Amino acid sequence: MSNHDTESLKRQREQEDRQRALQKLNQAKDLSVLLSMPEGRRFLRRLLHLCGVYRISYVAGDTHATAYREGARNIGNLYLAEIQAQPELFFQLITEDDPHDYSK
């Protein structure tokens, strides 16, 4: 590999790193916008409920249903981790009185 090829690969990796960082920043901003609105918080509470982040995935005697639920729960946990990265907004999400409480 020539010096030119090495430099080219290095620039390409740096560009990809910048793009990933920008994408992550944009995703955090998008989530902040959702969490700043009552409708967005309601939507996220419903999403987390539907994904089953607060329930056990196990379905007795049905490994396929368990795997399905665990996959949905994994998606919910990914979003939950992103939400928890913004502590003030997460606190508001979990403490806000919601007449459409999906945990019941």
Side-chain angles (χ1 to χ4, degrees):
M1 208 180 232
S2 73
N3 219 10
H4 177 23
D5 292 340
T6 304
E7 286 298 317
S8 178
L9 282 174
K10 184 178 176 184
R11 283 193 304 275
Q12 182 180 357
R13 287 187 187 132
E14 288 171 352
Q15 176 66 22
E16 290 169 356
D17 289 345
R18 283 191 298 272
Q19 287 174 341
R20 275 192 294 276
L22 180 60
Q23 182 181 21
K24 191 171 184 174
L25 179 64
N26 285 336
Q27 289 171 347
K29 286 180 182 178
D30 294 344
L31 190 56
S32 291
V33 169
L34 275 176
L35 288 167
S36 71
M37 299 181 298
E39 299 86 356
R41 291 189 298 275
R42 192 169 48 245
F43 168 79
L44 289 168
R45 276 192 293 275
R46 188 172 64 246
L47 177 70
L48 294 175
H49 172 75
L50 291 171
C51 288
V53 295
Y54 301 113
R55 73 169 181 247
I56 296 173
S57 301
Y58 178 71
V59 177
D62 192 341
T63 57
H64 295 289
T66 299
Y68 178 82
R69 282 182 161 190
E70 196 56 25
R73 191 167 172 264
N74 184 51
I75 297 296
N77 283 333
L78 291 172
Y79 278 101
L80 184 59
E82 286 186 32
I83 294 166
Q84 289 173 333
Q86 301 184 40
E88 300 85 16
L89 296 172
F90 173 66
F91 182 74
Q92 186 176 7
L93 176 76
I94 63 173
T95 59
E96 184 175 59
D97 189 27
D98 184 0
H100 307 288
D101 186 356
Y102 298 100
S103 65
K104 298 175 184 173

XYZ file of all heavy atoms in Angstrom:
854
model
N 0.836 -1.171 0.000
C 0.000 0.000 0.000
C 0.887 1.243 0.000
O 1.803 1.356 0.803
C -0.892 -0.020 1.235
C -2.183 0.695 1.067
S -3.128 0.603 2.593
C -4.644 0.008 1.951
N 0.580 2.150 -0.855
C 1.394 3.356 -0.949
C 0.983 4.365 0.116
O -0.064 4.256 0.743
C 1.260 3.980 -2.335
O 0.000 4.589 -2.465
N 1.820 5.339 0.286
C 1.551 6.419 1.235
C 0.272 7.169 0.858
O -0.508 7.558 1.719
C 2.750 7.369 1.255
C 3.071 7.864 2.635
O 2.518 7.366 3.608
N 3.959 8.816 2.730
N 0.070 7.329 -0.435
C -1.126 8.020 -0.942
C -2.393 7.234 -0.587
O -3.393 7.807 -0.157
C -1.005 8.213 -2.449
C -2.208 8.843 -3.103
N -3.105 9.623 -2.430
C -2.655 8.810 -4.380
C -4.058 10.032 -3.249
N -3.804 9.544 -4.434
N -2.334 5.903 -0.745
C -3.478 5.058 -0.410
C -3.788 5.117 1.082
O -4.947 5.171 1.487
C -3.225 3.607 -0.823
C -3.163 3.409 -2.323
O -3.688 4.286 -3.051
O -2.596 2.399 -2.759
N -2.752 5.115 1.886
C -2.928 5.181 3.341
C -3.590 6.498 3.743
O -4.521 6.513 4.556
C -1.568 5.029 4.049
O -0.955 3.821 3.630
C -1.735 5.017 5.549
N -3.128 7.589 3.169
C -3.713 8.900 3.464
C -5.166 8.973 3.000
O -6.027 9.531 3.678
C -2.894 10.014 2.804
C -1.586 10.284 3.490
C -1.759 10.744 4.918
O -2.640 11.591 5.193
O -1.017 10.251 5.781
N -5.440 8.400 1.845
C -6.796 8.393 1.315
C -7.739 7.608 2.225
O -8.858 8.047 2.513
C -6.800 7.786 -0.094
O -8.107 7.733 -0.599
N -7.291 6.447 2.699
C -8.102 5.648 3.630
C -8.319 6.394 4.944
O -9.411 6.358 5.512
C -7.420 4.307 3.903
C -7.560 3.251 2.825
C -6.718 2.028 3.175
C -9.018 2.863 2.641
N -7.284 7.065 5.406
C -7.395 7.830 6.650
C -8.425 8.941 6.507
O -9.279 9.130 7.386
C -6.030 8.412 7.024
C -6.022 9.133 8.341
C -4.637 9.644 8.673
C -4.672 10.447 9.955
N -3.363 11.027 10.263
N -8.385 9.683 5.396
C -9.369 10.753 5.168
C -10.778 10.187 5.057
O -11.736 10.771 5.570
C -9.006 11.539 3.906
C -7.873 12.524 4.101
C -7.748 13.485 2.933
N -7.585 12.822 1.649
C -6.433 12.400 1.141
N -5.311 12.586 1.827
N -6.377 11.820 -0.043
N -10.905 9.048 4.399
C -12.216 8.420 4.245
C -12.779 8.019 5.609
O -13.953 8.241 5.900
C -12.117 7.195 3.339
C -13.450 6.515 3.101
C -13.318 5.297 2.195
O -12.239 4.989 1.690
N -14.413 4.611 1.997
N -11.947 7.430 6.453
C -12.394 7.033 7.802
C -12.782 8.251 8.637
O -13.765 8.217 9.384
C -11.313 6.226 8.504
C -11.172 4.834 7.965
C -10.216 4.010 8.787
N -9.989 2.736 8.136
C -8.800 2.200 7.941
N -7.710 2.816 8.386
N -8.670 1.041 7.345
N -12.001 9.304 8.529
C -12.319 10.529 9.271
C -13.654 11.107 8.813
O -14.457 11.563 9.636
C -11.199 11.556 9.094
C -9.931 11.198 9.827
C -8.761 12.100 9.478
O -8.881 12.933 8.539
O -7.710 11.970 10.144
N -13.905 11.084 7.504
C -15.174 11.571 6.959
C -16.334 10.714 7.469
O -17.374 11.241 7.863
C -15.133 11.557 5.413
C -16.433 11.941 4.759
C -16.830 13.387 4.993
O -15.993 14.234 5.298
N -18.097 13.678 4.872
N -16.155 9.410 7.487
C -17.199 8.508 7.995
C -17.451 8.746 9.474
O -18.603 8.724 9.921
C -16.806 7.054 7.735
C -16.852 6.666 6.271
C -16.220 5.313 5.992
O -15.663 4.686 6.930
O -16.276 4.885 4.825
N -16.380 8.980 10.242
C -16.531 9.272 11.670
C -17.312 10.564 11.883
O -18.183 10.636 12.760
C -15.164 9.375 12.352
C -14.466 8.034 12.489
O -15.132 6.985 12.320
O -13.237 8.035 12.744
N -17.015 11.589 11.078
C -17.752 12.858 11.180
C -19.224 12.664 10.832
O -20.103 13.219 11.497
C -17.122 13.914 10.278
C -15.862 14.525 10.833
C -15.424 15.750 10.054
N -15.108 15.450 8.669
C -13.933 15.068 8.211
N -12.916 14.960 9.055
N -13.733 14.829 6.935
N -19.499 11.864 9.809
C -20.887 11.611 9.416
C -21.639 10.872 10.507
O -22.794 11.179 10.806
C -20.945 10.828 8.104
C -20.577 11.642 6.890
C -20.510 10.804 5.621
O -20.400 9.587 5.654
N -20.581 11.489 4.482
N -20.992 9.879 11.133
C -21.642 9.147 12.235
C -21.913 10.060 13.418
O -22.974 9.998 14.042
C -20.785 7.957 12.663
C -21.002 6.714 11.828
C -20.359 5.483 12.463
N -18.918 5.547 12.505
C -18.116 5.212 11.502
N -18.623 4.786 10.373
N -16.801 5.299 11.627
N -20.961 10.921 13.740
C -21.136 11.851 14.856
C -22.281 12.825 14.575
O -23.103 13.103 15.459
C -19.840 12.615 15.122
N -22.361 13.319 13.342
C -23.442 14.224 12.971
C -24.788 13.515 13.025
O -25.778 14.072 13.512
C -23.200 14.796 11.573
C -24.248 15.771 11.050
C -24.359 16.985 11.972
C -23.906 16.203 9.628
N -24.833 12.282 12.561
C -26.070 11.514 12.600
C -26.518 11.294 14.048
O -27.697 11.451 14.375
C -25.892 10.172 11.899
C -27.148 9.332 11.865
C -26.940 7.991 11.187
O -25.820 7.505 11.074
N -28.015 7.398 10.730
N -25.580 10.970 14.916
C -25.911 10.761 16.333
C -26.423 12.053 16.968
O -27.393 12.035 17.732
C -24.677 10.242 17.070
C -24.963 9.743 18.448
C -23.753 9.059 19.039
C -24.113 8.495 20.395
N -23.058 7.706 20.981
N -25.801 13.166 16.640
C -26.236 14.467 17.145
C -27.645 14.790 16.658
O -28.498 15.234 17.441
C -25.258 15.553 16.720
C -25.582 16.973 17.162
C -25.552 17.078 18.678
C -24.601 17.947 16.538
N -27.909 14.554 15.383
C -29.248 14.806 14.828
C -30.296 13.924 15.482
O -31.414 14.372 15.748
C -29.254 14.612 13.314
C -28.589 15.757 12.591
O -28.500 16.862 13.098
N -28.095 15.481 11.398
N -29.963 12.669 15.750
C -30.909 11.774 16.411
C -31.217 12.257 17.821
O -32.372 12.213 18.261
C -30.357 10.347 16.434
C -30.344 9.696 15.077
C -29.607 8.367 15.052
O -28.895 8.008 15.988
N -29.768 7.643 13.967
N -30.216 12.742 18.538
C -30.429 13.268 19.888
C -31.313 14.511 19.834
O -32.206 14.689 20.678
C -29.097 13.581 20.553
N -31.088 15.380 18.835
C -31.933 16.564 18.682
C -33.371 16.173 18.360
O -34.313 16.762 18.897
C -31.382 17.470 17.575
C -30.148 18.229 17.946
C -29.676 19.094 16.778
C -28.419 19.828 17.082
N -27.950 20.613 15.922
N -33.550 15.200 17.473
C -34.900 14.733 17.125
C -35.629 14.240 18.372
O -36.802 14.565 18.594
C -34.842 13.605 16.093
C -34.317 14.047 14.743
O -34.275 15.268 14.477
O -33.962 13.161 13.943
N -34.924 13.468 19.181
C -35.531 12.942 20.396
C -35.851 14.068 21.376
O -36.902 14.050 22.021
C -34.595 11.918 21.035
C -35.164 11.103 22.174
C -36.430 10.358 21.761
C -34.130 10.128 22.682
N -34.992 15.071 21.464
C -35.246 16.217 22.339
C -36.522 16.941 21.925
O -37.313 17.365 22.773
C -34.080 17.204 22.300
O -32.955 16.660 22.909
N -36.727 17.074 20.622
C -37.942 17.727 20.123
C -39.159 16.911 20.541
O -40.154 17.463 21.031
C -37.884 17.904 18.587
C -39.238 18.326 18.041
C -36.826 18.913 18.218
N -39.110 15.586 20.362
C -40.239 14.739 20.769
C -40.504 14.862 22.264
O -41.649 14.997 22.690
C -39.963 13.275 20.434
C -40.285 12.809 19.044
C -39.867 11.354 18.861
C -41.758 12.971 18.731
N -39.441 14.804 23.051
C -39.601 14.849 24.501
C -40.033 16.218 25.008
O -40.538 16.331 26.131
C -38.292 14.433 25.187
C -37.956 12.950 25.090
C -36.513 12.708 25.500
C -38.909 12.133 25.943
N -39.860 17.249 24.219
C -40.244 18.590 24.654
C -41.738 18.850 24.486
O -42.253 19.828 25.008
C -39.441 19.642 23.886
O -39.861 19.697 22.535
N -42.434 17.965 23.776
C -43.869 18.150 23.533
C -44.674 17.079 24.262
O -44.269 15.909 24.271
C -44.175 18.044 22.038
C -43.485 19.090 21.192
S -43.907 18.931 19.439
C -43.269 17.320 19.053
N -45.821 17.444 24.860
C -46.657 16.433 25.516
C -47.029 15.294 24.565
O -47.034 14.123 24.960
C -47.900 17.205 25.960
C -47.475 18.632 26.006
C -46.389 18.786 24.984
N -47.311 15.629 23.317
C -47.684 14.601 22.339
C -46.517 13.649 22.066
O -46.706 12.445 21.902
C -48.124 15.239 21.006
C -49.330 16.144 21.123
C -49.004 17.586 21.515
O -47.834 17.903 21.781
O -49.938 18.394 21.554
N -45.318 14.197 22.026
C -44.132 13.370 21.806
C -43.867 12.445 22.975
O -43.521 11.275 22.788
N -44.024 12.960 24.191
C -43.834 12.120 25.373
C -44.892 11.026 25.427
O -44.593 9.879 25.752
C -43.851 12.978 26.642
C -42.626 13.892 26.750
C -42.539 14.572 28.090
N -43.666 15.448 28.380
C -43.758 16.716 27.979
N -42.786 17.262 27.254
N -44.805 17.456 28.298
N -46.121 11.373 25.077
C -47.195 10.377 25.049
C -46.871 9.280 24.026
O -47.021 8.095 24.297
C -48.524 11.060 24.744
C -49.730 10.186 24.972
C -51.049 10.944 24.924
N -51.187 11.833 23.777
C -51.269 13.164 23.852
N -51.214 13.777 25.019
N -51.407 13.890 22.768
N -46.387 9.697 22.849
C -46.026 8.732 21.813
C -44.909 7.807 22.303
O -44.968 6.587 22.125
C -45.572 9.462 20.539
C -44.931 8.547 19.543
C -45.718 7.736 18.736
C -43.555 8.481 19.431
C -45.125 6.875 17.829
C -42.964 7.620 18.522
C -43.754 6.812 17.717
N -43.890 8.383 22.939
C -42.770 7.571 23.403
C -43.170 6.620 24.526
O -42.700 5.483 24.579
C -41.609 8.470 23.827
C -40.908 9.151 22.654
C -39.968 10.241 23.150
C -40.170 8.143 21.796
N -44.052 7.070 25.421
C -44.547 6.163 26.462
C -45.279 4.988 25.823
O -45.110 3.832 26.230
C -45.476 6.900 27.434
C -44.756 7.633 28.539
C -45.702 8.093 29.629
N -46.621 9.117 29.162
C -46.351 10.416 29.128
N -45.179 10.854 29.522
N -47.232 11.272 28.694
N -46.098 5.284 24.817
C -46.838 4.227 24.119
C -45.869 3.275 23.406
O -46.019 2.057 23.466
C -47.836 4.832 23.133
C -48.767 3.828 22.511
C -49.881 4.479 21.676
N -49.350 5.196 20.524
C -49.411 6.513 20.332
N -49.983 7.297 21.228
N -48.910 7.076 19.248
N -44.859 3.822 22.759
C -43.866 3.006 22.063
C -43.142 2.074 23.032
O -43.011 0.869 22.768
C -42.849 3.904 21.341
C -41.712 3.180 20.638
C -42.229 2.441 19.415
C -40.624 4.161 20.253
N -42.696 2.621 24.158
C -41.993 1.798 25.143
C -42.906 0.711 25.698
O -42.474 -0.430 25.920
C -41.441 2.671 26.276
C -40.349 3.661 25.869
C -39.979 4.553 27.045
C -39.136 2.955 25.300
N -44.175 1.047 25.890
C -45.132 0.044 26.358
C -45.326 -1.058 25.317
O -45.280 -2.248 25.635
C -46.474 0.710 26.680
C -47.557 -0.272 26.985
N -47.627 -0.958 28.173
C -48.600 -0.702 26.239
C -48.665 -1.770 28.144
N -49.273 -1.628 26.986
N -45.518 -0.665 24.064
C -45.723 -1.656 23.001
C -44.503 -2.550 22.802
O -44.639 -3.727 22.454
C -46.078 -0.962 21.678
C -47.445 -0.283 21.629
C -47.589 0.550 20.359
C -48.557 -1.315 21.724
N -43.324 -1.990 23.039
C -42.095 -2.778 22.905
C -41.875 -3.698 24.103
O -41.046 -4.598 24.051
C -40.890 -1.858 22.747
S -40.833 -1.044 21.137
N -42.604 -3.479 25.163
C -42.525 -4.367 26.325
C -41.280 -4.185 27.169
O -40.814 -5.150 27.776
N -40.769 -2.970 27.251
C -39.537 -2.774 28.014
C -39.731 -3.016 29.510
O -38.755 -3.298 30.211
C -38.912 -1.378 27.776
C -38.462 -1.225 26.351
C -39.834 -0.269 28.183
N -40.951 -2.938 29.988
C -41.197 -3.124 31.419
C -41.906 -4.443 31.726
O -42.510 -4.590 32.782
C -42.019 -1.948 31.967
C -41.334 -0.620 31.759
C -41.855 0.334 30.901
C -40.140 -0.327 32.412
C -41.218 1.555 30.707
C -39.490 0.887 32.214
C -40.035 1.819 31.362
O -39.400 3.014 31.171
N -41.830 -5.386 30.801
C -42.438 -6.695 31.070
C -41.455 -7.797 30.687
O -40.510 -7.577 29.934
C -43.752 -6.854 30.320
C -43.609 -7.056 28.840
C -44.926 -7.481 28.170
N -44.666 -7.679 26.761
C -45.155 -6.936 25.782
N -45.989 -5.957 26.059
N -44.839 -7.178 24.536
N -41.732 -8.976 31.176
C -40.915 -10.146 30.867
C -41.277 -10.638 29.471
O -42.454 -10.692 29.103
C -41.153 -11.246 31.919
C -40.688 -10.750 33.290
C -40.450 -12.536 31.535
C -41.033 -11.681 34.428
N -40.292 -11.009 28.700
C -40.518 -11.470 27.327
C -40.940 -12.936 27.261
O -41.545 -13.360 26.275
C -39.239 -11.309 26.497
O -38.837 -9.970 26.464
N -40.632 -13.685 28.283
C -40.845 -15.130 28.260
C -42.315 -15.494 28.079
O -43.197 -14.977 28.762
C -40.315 -15.745 29.559
C -40.530 -17.235 29.642
C -39.793 -18.100 28.847
C -41.472 -17.766 30.513
C -39.994 -19.466 28.920
C -41.674 -19.130 30.598
C -40.938 -19.978 29.795
O -41.140 -21.335 29.863
N -42.573 -16.416 27.125
C -43.896 -16.988 26.915
C -43.744 -18.489 27.118
O -43.060 -19.167 26.329
C -44.449 -16.697 25.499
C -45.798 -17.369 25.299
C -44.528 -15.201 25.251
N -44.346 -19.023 28.159
C -44.191 -20.440 28.498
C -44.559 -21.335 27.322
O -45.633 -21.199 26.736
C -45.053 -20.781 29.711
N -43.632 -22.207 26.958
C -43.892 -23.193 25.918
C -43.839 -22.655 24.495
O -44.145 -23.389 23.549
N -43.481 -21.412 24.303
C -43.466 -20.843 22.949
C -42.186 -20.035 22.740
O -42.134 -18.839 22.992
C -44.699 -19.965 22.734
C -44.908 -19.580 21.280
O -43.943 -19.678 20.484
O -46.031 -19.167 20.941
N -41.153 -20.722 22.254
C -39.860 -20.065 22.066
C -39.925 -18.990 20.982
O -39.215 -17.991 21.064
C -38.759 -21.076 21.713
O -39.146 -21.796 20.537
C -38.539 -22.055 22.855
N -40.776 -19.188 19.983
C -40.886 -18.191 18.914
C -41.509 -16.891 19.427
O -41.041 -15.797 19.101
C -41.697 -18.746 17.729
C -41.027 -19.899 17.054
N -39.905 -19.751 16.285
C -41.306 -21.225 17.064
C -39.516 -20.925 15.829
N -40.357 -21.846 16.289
N -42.568 -17.020 20.229
C -43.200 -15.830 20.796
C -42.234 -15.125 21.746
O -42.165 -13.890 21.769
C -44.489 -16.194 21.525
N -41.469 -15.896 22.503
C -40.479 -15.309 23.399
C -39.431 -14.545 22.593
O -39.080 -13.406 22.938
C -39.797 -16.390 24.266
O -40.800 -17.038 25.067
C -38.726 -15.804 25.159
N -38.941 -15.142 21.526
C -37.934 -14.482 20.688
C -38.502 -13.212 20.055
O -37.829 -12.181 19.988
C -37.435 -15.442 19.605
N -39.740 -13.278 19.595
C -40.395 -12.110 19.000
C -40.484 -10.975 20.019
O -40.120 -9.832 19.733
C -41.784 -12.490 18.493
C -42.539 -11.333 17.911
C -42.312 -10.923 16.603
C -43.470 -10.636 18.678
C -43.002 -9.850 16.059
C -44.159 -9.559 18.143
C -43.926 -9.171 16.839
O -44.600 -8.106 16.315
N -40.970 -11.315 21.209
C -41.099 -10.302 22.258
C -39.743 -9.733 22.664
O -39.605 -8.546 22.940
C -41.774 -10.887 23.500
C -43.257 -11.015 23.385
C -43.782 -11.566 24.688
N -45.198 -11.315 24.829
C -45.871 -11.520 25.943
N -45.244 -11.989 27.012
N -47.152 -11.267 26.007
N -38.739 -10.603 22.697
C -37.404 -10.148 23.081
C -36.835 -9.211 22.015
O -36.139 -8.246 22.336
C -36.478 -11.345 23.307
C -35.227 -11.048 24.061
C -35.415 -10.408 25.426
O -36.464 -10.568 26.079
O -34.472 -9.704 25.844
N -37.142 -9.456 20.748
C -36.713 -8.547 19.683
C -37.364 -7.184 19.819
O -36.698 -6.144 19.693
N -38.672 -7.175 20.081
C -39.379 -5.905 20.278
C -38.823 -5.174 21.501
O -38.616 -3.953 21.480
C -40.874 -6.157 20.435
N -38.557 -5.940 22.546
C -38.027 -5.357 23.777
C -36.647 -4.752 23.547
O -36.308 -3.697 24.102
C -37.962 -6.437 24.861
C -37.690 -5.933 26.229
C -37.978 -7.032 27.259
N -37.542 -6.594 28.541
C -36.362 -6.900 29.080
N -35.524 -7.682 28.444
N -36.031 -6.438 30.247
N -35.849 -5.393 22.710
C -34.523 -4.867 22.388
C -34.628 -3.496 21.719
O -33.889 -2.572 22.066
C -33.769 -5.848 21.487
C -32.367 -5.389 21.198
O -31.617 -5.055 22.093
N -32.016 -5.371 19.925
N -35.549 -3.356 20.770
C -35.753 -2.059 20.111
C -36.169 -1.017 21.148
O -35.647 0.098 21.182
C -36.821 -2.167 19.006
C -36.358 -3.116 17.900
C -37.183 -0.793 18.450
C -35.132 -2.670 17.149
N -37.107 -1.387 22.009
C -37.547 -0.469 23.051
C -36.415 -0.066 23.981
O -36.303 1.100 24.377
N -35.558 -1.019 24.320
C -34.430 -0.714 25.203
C -33.424 0.224 24.534
O -32.805 1.050 25.201
C -33.734 -1.994 25.665
C -34.517 -2.700 26.756
O -35.254 -2.079 27.502
N -34.352 -4.000 26.839
N -33.266 0.102 23.219
C -32.386 1.034 22.500
C -32.923 2.459 22.606
O -32.172 3.402 22.880
C -32.253 0.617 21.035
C -31.487 -0.673 20.777
C -31.591 -1.067 19.300
C -30.034 -0.537 21.185
N -34.245 2.621 22.401
C -34.840 3.951 22.528
C -34.798 4.438 23.971
O -34.540 5.609 24.227
C -36.275 3.963 21.995
C -36.327 4.118 20.511
C -36.549 3.033 19.683
C -36.130 5.364 19.912
C -36.565 3.175 18.304
C -36.148 5.524 18.548
C -36.370 4.420 17.750
O -36.375 4.561 16.388
N -35.047 3.539 24.902
C -35.005 3.920 26.316
C -33.621 4.440 26.702
O -33.505 5.434 27.416
C -35.403 2.732 27.192
C -35.493 2.989 28.682
C -36.509 4.083 28.999
C -35.848 1.700 29.413
N -32.572 3.800 26.207
C -31.214 4.254 26.499
C -30.978 5.655 25.930
O -30.350 6.499 26.579
C -30.195 3.267 25.930
N -31.489 5.912 24.728
C -31.343 7.249 24.145
C -32.105 8.290 24.957
O -31.631 9.404 25.148
C -31.832 7.253 22.700
C -30.897 6.562 21.737
C -31.331 6.718 20.295
O -31.911 7.762 19.943
O -31.074 5.792 19.522
N -33.287 7.910 25.421
C -34.091 8.831 26.230
C -33.394 9.105 27.562
O -33.314 10.243 28.018
C -35.505 8.254 26.464
C -36.275 8.181 25.142
C -36.270 9.074 27.490
C -37.541 7.335 25.207
N -32.867 8.068 28.187
C -32.202 8.224 29.483
C -30.922 9.042 29.375
O -30.443 9.562 30.390
C -31.910 6.851 30.092
C -33.159 6.149 30.550
C -32.907 4.729 31.009
O -31.967 4.079 30.557
N -33.755 4.238 31.895
N -30.382 9.195 28.191
C -29.186 10.028 27.997
C -29.506 11.508 28.165
O -28.594 12.332 28.225
C -28.586 9.761 26.617
N -30.802 11.832 28.244
C -31.248 13.213 28.482
C -32.038 13.208 29.793
O -33.271 13.182 29.787
C -32.099 13.687 27.304
C -31.330 13.621 25.994
C -32.113 14.169 24.838
O -32.800 15.175 24.946
N -31.999 13.509 23.702
N -31.337 13.193 30.931
C -31.965 12.939 32.231
C -33.156 13.829 32.580
O -34.148 13.345 33.122
C -30.826 13.138 33.236
C -29.580 13.060 32.450
C -29.914 13.439 31.048
N -33.067 15.124 32.284
C -34.165 16.022 32.654
C -35.440 15.645 31.889
O -36.534 15.611 32.450
C -33.806 17.488 32.371
C -32.603 18.001 33.115
C -31.283 17.680 32.415
O -31.305 17.326 31.211
O -30.241 17.756 33.069
N -35.283 15.375 30.611
C -36.440 15.029 29.787
C -36.966 13.635 30.123
O -38.166 13.390 30.097
C -36.095 15.147 28.301
C -35.755 16.575 27.852
C -35.239 16.583 26.420
C -36.963 17.489 27.980
N -36.054 12.716 30.463
C -36.476 11.377 30.877
C -37.296 11.466 32.157
O -38.348 10.821 32.275
C -35.265 10.468 31.075
C -35.607 9.140 31.664
C -36.380 8.226 30.954
C -35.171 8.787 32.927
C -36.705 6.991 31.497
C -35.495 7.557 33.477
C -36.267 6.657 32.762
N -36.827 12.262 33.102
C -37.553 12.426 34.360
C -38.962 12.964 34.091
O -39.937 12.492 34.675
C -36.790 13.357 35.310
C -37.448 13.519 36.633
C -37.418 12.495 37.568
C -38.124 14.682 36.954
C -38.047 12.629 38.794
C -38.751 14.832 38.174
C -38.705 13.800 39.104
N -39.064 13.930 33.208
C -40.377 14.481 32.867
C -41.256 13.406 32.226
O -42.435 13.299 32.522
C -40.230 15.670 31.925
C -41.545 16.375 31.645
C -41.377 17.615 30.787
O -40.290 17.890 30.283
N -42.442 18.358 30.619
N -40.674 12.592 31.369
C -41.416 11.522 30.697
C -42.021 10.549 31.705
O -43.183 10.173 31.583
C -40.492 10.773 29.731
C -41.092 9.561 29.024
C -42.021 10.000 27.906
C -40.000 8.660 28.486
N -41.232 10.166 32.706
C -41.714 9.128 33.626
C -42.545 9.674 34.775
O -43.265 8.909 35.426
C -40.556 8.262 34.172
C -39.583 9.093 34.989
C -39.864 7.530 33.045
C -38.514 8.289 35.704
N -42.467 10.978 35.052
C -43.220 11.520 36.178
C -44.482 12.255 35.761
O -45.334 12.527 36.605
C -42.346 12.480 37.014
O -41.882 13.541 36.186
C -41.181 11.735 37.636
N -44.596 12.577 34.496
C -45.751 13.325 34.012
C -47.033 12.499 34.148
O -47.051 11.320 33.814
C -45.510 13.687 32.540
C -46.568 14.543 31.923
C -46.151 14.941 30.505
O -45.931 14.056 29.673
O -46.039 16.154 30.281
N -48.067 13.137 34.639
C -49.360 12.468 34.752
C -49.946 12.301 33.358
O -50.116 13.268 32.621
C -50.303 13.298 35.630
C -51.581 12.553 35.953
O -51.565 11.307 35.962
O -52.591 13.228 36.193
N -50.227 11.057 32.988
C -50.749 10.759 31.649
C -52.099 10.067 31.797
O -52.177 8.959 32.312
C -49.773 9.870 30.887
C -50.199 9.592 29.464
O -51.254 10.090 29.034
O -49.471 8.872 28.778
N -53.173 10.705 31.323
C -54.495 10.065 31.415
C -54.578 8.798 30.579
O -55.434 7.969 30.775
C -55.450 11.131 30.899
C -54.611 12.060 30.111
C -53.225 11.994 30.681
N -53.649 8.638 29.642
C -53.610 7.434 28.796
C -52.474 6.540 29.246
O -51.657 6.120 28.440
C -53.415 7.813 27.331
C -54.400 8.807 26.819
N -55.713 8.480 26.588
C -54.279 10.124 26.524
C -56.360 9.550 26.158
N -55.504 10.549 26.123
N -52.434 6.252 30.542
C -51.357 5.445 31.102
C -51.402 4.052 30.493
O -52.324 3.286 30.747
C -51.483 5.382 32.616
C -50.301 4.686 33.282
O -49.425 4.182 32.550
O -50.263 4.661 34.508
N -50.385 3.707 29.695
C -50.361 2.449 28.962
C -49.842 1.283 29.788
O -49.840 0.160 29.335
C -49.529 2.609 27.693
C -50.119 3.644 26.778
C -49.594 4.932 26.736
C -51.229 3.346 26.015
C -50.167 5.892 25.933
C -51.801 4.320 25.203
C -51.259 5.580 25.167
O -51.845 6.529 24.365
N -49.415 1.549 31.007
C -48.904 0.463 31.847
C -50.024 -0.308 32.524
O -49.796 -1.316 33.152
C -47.944 1.023 32.893
O -48.628 1.874 33.782
N -51.234 0.189 32.383
C -52.373 -0.471 33.058
C -53.119 -1.379 32.107
O -53.118 -1.261 30.950
C -53.311 0.560 33.641
C -52.636 1.395 34.693
C -53.532 2.494 35.169
C -52.764 3.354 36.145
N -53.442 4.527 36.546
